[in-house]
Amino acid sequence: ILLGQSFTRVIEPVRSRCLTIRVPAPTEQEIMSVLVHIGKREGIQVPPPFAASVAIASDRNLRRAILMLEASKVSQYPFVENQIIQQADWEIFVADLAHEILEEQSPKRLLAVRGKLYELLTNCIPAQMILQRLTEELMKKLDSE
């Protein structure tokens, strides 16, 4: 069994020996039901409007939705309908990193940023996700300036 997110990154000899099965991302309704089910199993109340806002904020990524639910529970429980959805720690870290990059461009800052990127990699955050999120954060900040 070969599991991957990008078919193009698999070399042709391996691709020719595999049967490709594409599984779509879960719908927001499916994510909501999973979050409510997790809440029941953990003994916490997850209001459907709160689960809906987490599902929307997760961009149909179930793993991200579960992490957001966990982070939100740590920050404030019981949940309220208009509660701010907490991002994962690494996403907050990348947002701060983008701010630091734009704040000062120098060799000293480059070395510090490099160390922080290594820290993210050592915490098993995939490089593609780091770079994608960093690009999004930099684009947000560039548009606002």
Side-chain angles (χ1 to χ4, degrees), residues 9-99:
R9 296 177 71 187
V10 179
I11 60 174
E12 182 57 39
V14 174
R15 263 193 279 177
S16 68
R17 290 168 177 79
C18 295
L19 172 65
T20 304
I21 300 173
R22 294 180 186 252
V23 180
T27 64
E28 290 174 359
Q29 188 66 32
E30 291 171 333
I31 291 175
M32 283 176 51
S33 65
V34 168
L35 295 177
V36 170
H37 178 73
I38 288 172
K40 286 180 185 174
R41 301 254 343 233
E42 293 291 323
I44 60 174
Q45 291 290 329
V46 181
F50 178 72
S53 60
V54 171
I56 292 168
S58 70
D59 294 325
R60 295 180 57 197
N61 183 328
L62 185 58
R63 179 179 295 151
R64 190 170 178 208
I66 293 170
L67 288 173
M68 287 176 159
L69 178 67
E70 182 181 0
S72 296
K73 183 189 180 292
V74 169
S75 77
Q76 177 184 348
Y77 182 78
F79 300 123
V80 292
E81 289 183 26
N82 58 355
Q83 180 175 339
I84 296 173
I85 308 299
Q86 293 294 316
Q87 291 183 327
D89 289 341
W90 74 269
E91 291 176 326
I92 297 169
F93 190 80
V94 170
D96 292 341
L97 189 60
H99 178 72

